[in-house]
Amino acid sequence: KYYSEPMSVKVTSKDGSLKWCEVRYYRKDNFVYGTFVDITEQKAAQEKLEEKESLLRLVLDENPDVIVMKDFQGKFILVNKTVAQLYQADAEDMIGKDDGDYVPQEQAEFFKENIQKIMRAGQTEIVYEDSTDVDTGETRHFKSIKKPLKDKDGKDQILVIATDITDIVDTKEELKYIASDLQKAQERYQATEKIGKVGAWEYNIDTEKFWGSDQAKKFFGFPDEENSFSPDFVYNCMLEKGRVNQALVNLLEKGTEYNIEYDVQPFDGTPIKTVRSIAAVEYDENKKPKKVSGFLQDITQTIKLSKELQSSHEMLAVLTKNVPGAVYQYRLYPDGSTCFPYASNGIKDIYEVD
């Protein structure tokens, strides 16, 4: 080979501190050239991200309730261990499949029609439903909380938290259990919101008031005990309130897609956050807009990582500016496609390209 694959290595500095470097080598004629790029901060940020993802996975898998996310066609996007055990399947293998691969087709169609109805309505619903084991014929009863969401591209998704109530379906304690379980499910949903740094919000056109979930209120630093907020109160926390308000106006008046990022100065004085917000209009039976529903995602850390990565690229450009020839990274993907993620200015002289 005339080049090496990039390697991440740990290096001890003169002061004794440890740093992570990305190392690349390439050979030209009888010389071997190398580049060392400090990726310590990037590595630390990546490790923190992986730690949070691992924690989220642990929270999901240790939860005794069924927790799934599906797309509009009913395909599994996320499942926890409880779901995999229920369907006697591997959690990773279930991604991309639907209920029809594990339960009778009639039940699968019911599940699919139900979630599509909820996603179209855009309202959280609590439903009671059954699931039958195709091998044993055993039927389990569930009480499910189904919360419609939008992904970053505005596509419909749904979060389902289902509690197995088989053992108490016909008992006199059912009403008491429902009240208790609703509270627990709400707490679990709030915990999921917190870990995922996602919050829901609504704008009621008739009352001209905003509502926010617990996590959404936390993003804006609003009091927990308040549930309704005026537009002025909300917009005063936005550093670009004119742009954000115009995006809402365009959504209502022109049907323009509402998918924006903006900075928030929380009401309680906590540090500025960057959020992404996606929303859609809900209409009444006369096709008149009645409210706007959306979600917020805290992307502060993502923006920070992006800036750090850009800084790393700029540093690499400075380091390679005076290196004879060209320094580049060549990547071959599993599907056979290739690209150059990075190339120094020397590539222009060699290949006469920009």
Side-chain angles (χ1 to χ4, degrees):
K1 286 187 176 181
Y2 291 94
Y3 58 89
S4 70
E5 298 295 333
M7 299 175 289
S8 295
V9 298
K10 192 175 289 187
V11 178
T12 302
S13 302
K14 285 185 177 180
D15 61 5
S17 62
L18 294 177
K19 294 183 179 294
W20 280 98
C21 291
E22 186 174 78
V23 183
R24 296 185 181 91
Y25 295 105
Y26 75 95
R27 177 167 60 86
K28 183 178 181 182
D29 299 327
N30 293 324
F31 295 92
V32 174
Y33 300 91
T35 60
F36 286 73
V37 179
D38 187 344
I39 60 170
T40 305
E41 292 185 357
Q42 181 181 345
K43 192 77 172 178
Q46 183 63 34
E47 288 175 352
K48 288 182 180 179
L49 179 61
E50 291 174 355
E51 182 180 343
K52 290 183 178 180
E53 290 177 346
S54 176
L55 177 59
L56 176 59
R57 185 74 251 178
L58 179 63
V59 171
L60 291 173
D61 285 339
E62 292 301 319
N63 196 312
D65 288 345
V66 167
I67 300 179
V68 302
M69 284 192 69
K70 299 178 180 180
D71 63 16
F72 190 78
Q73 298 303 322
K75 302 293 185 182
F76 293 114
I77 299 173
L78 176 148
V79 300
N80 69 342
K81 187 184 296 183
T82 304
V83 183
Q85 292 173 344
L86 178 66
Y87 283 163
Q88 299 180 16
D90 181 80
E92 292 185 3
D93 290 341
M94 292 180 67
I95 304 304
K97 297 181 180 179
D98 58 32
D99 294 290
D101 293 295
Y102 307 101
V103 301
Q105 196 61 36
E106 183 179 352
Q107 283 189 349
E109 285 300 317
F110 170 80
F111 293 155
K112 181 178 178 181
E113 291 173 4
N114 178 255
I115 64 170
Q116 289 182 341
K117 177 183 176 182
I118 294 173
M119 284 189 277
R120 290 191 183 100
Q123 293 288 340
T124 300
E125 288 192 15
I126 300 174
V127 299
Y128 292 84
E129 52 197 3
D130 301 332
S131 179
T132 303
D133 190 305
V134 292
D135 294 326
T136 66
E138 179 187 13
T139 298
R140 308 294 296 179
H141 307 284
F142 293 90
K143 178 167 68 68
S144 303
I145 298 176
K146 301 187 177 184
K147 172 74 173 180
L149 303 167
K150 300 282 186 181
D151 68 9
K152 62 182 179 63
D153 298 319
K155 295 181 180 178
D156 288 311
Q157 295 180 339
I158 192 164
L159 171 66
V160 181
I161 302 176
T163 303
D164 190 333
I165 58 172
T166 305
D167 296 336
I168 57 171
V169 165
D170 296 320
T171 69
K172 293 182 179 180
E173 297 295 322
E174 176 63 9
L175 291 177
K176 181 179 178 181
Y177 174 85
I178 290 174
S180 174
D181 187 65
L182 279 174
Q183 179 62 33
K184 292 178 181 178
Q186 180 66 17
E187 291 172 355
R188 288 168 186 151
Y189 173 68
Q190 291 173 348
T192 303
E193 271 197 339
K194 184 176 181 180
I195 294 172
K197 292 189 176 181
V198 176
W201 64 272
E202 292 180 356
Y203 174 66
N204 188 303
I205 296 174
D206 291 333
T207 63
E208 296 185 345
K209 294 288 187 179
F210 280 97
W211 167 89
S213 67
D214 288 348
Q215 192 64 17
K217 287 189 288 187
K218 184 177 180 181
F219 291 162
F220 280 76
F222 292 160
D224 291 338
E225 62 275 11
E226 297 292 334
N227 292 310
S228 182
F229 307 94
S230 69
D232 287 342
F233 190 72
V234 175
Y235 286 136
N236 281 339
C237 294
M238 300 176 183
L239 300 187
E240 298 178 87
K241 56 185 177 182
R243 180 174 66 87
V244 180
N245 179 61
Q246 189 60 50
L248 183 60
V249 171
N250 292 342
L251 171 66
L252 290 170
E253 296 182 354
K254 304 177 182 179
T256 306
E257 180 184 23
Y258 187 97
N259 186 345
I260 61 175
E261 298 177 5
Y262 56 88
D263 292 332
V264 174
Q265 175 61 73
F267 179 74
D268 60 4
T270 51
I272 293 175
K273 297 180 178 66
T274 302
V275 299
R276 173 182 290 118
S277 183
I278 296 176
V281 182
E282 296 184 31
Y283 299 88
D284 60 20
E285 61 276 7
N286 297 318
K287 297 184 179 180
K288 179 182 177 181
K290 63 178 183 179
K291 69 177 180 179
V292 178
S293 298
F295 79 92
L296 295 166
Q297 181 180 20
D298 185 349
I299 59 171
T300 307
Q301 188 63 23
T302 302
I303 296 297
K304 179 181 178 182
L305 288 174
S306 177
K307 290 180 179 179
E308 289 175 352
L309 182 59
Q310 179 62 32
S311 176
S312 176
H313 276 291
E314 292 172 356
M315 182 182 297
L316 180 60
V318 172
L319 292 174
T320 58
K321 182 177 181 180
N322 297 315
V323 174
V327 176
Y328 62 87
Q329 179 185 5
Y330 177 80
R331 181 169 292 170
L332 173 64
Y333 293 96
D335 63 0
S337 61
T338 62
C339 74
F340 289 89
Y342 174 78
S344 66
N345 287 332
I347 203 79
K348 298 179 182 179
D349 299 327
I350 297 176
Y351 294 105
E352 298 181 355
V353 295
D354 293 329

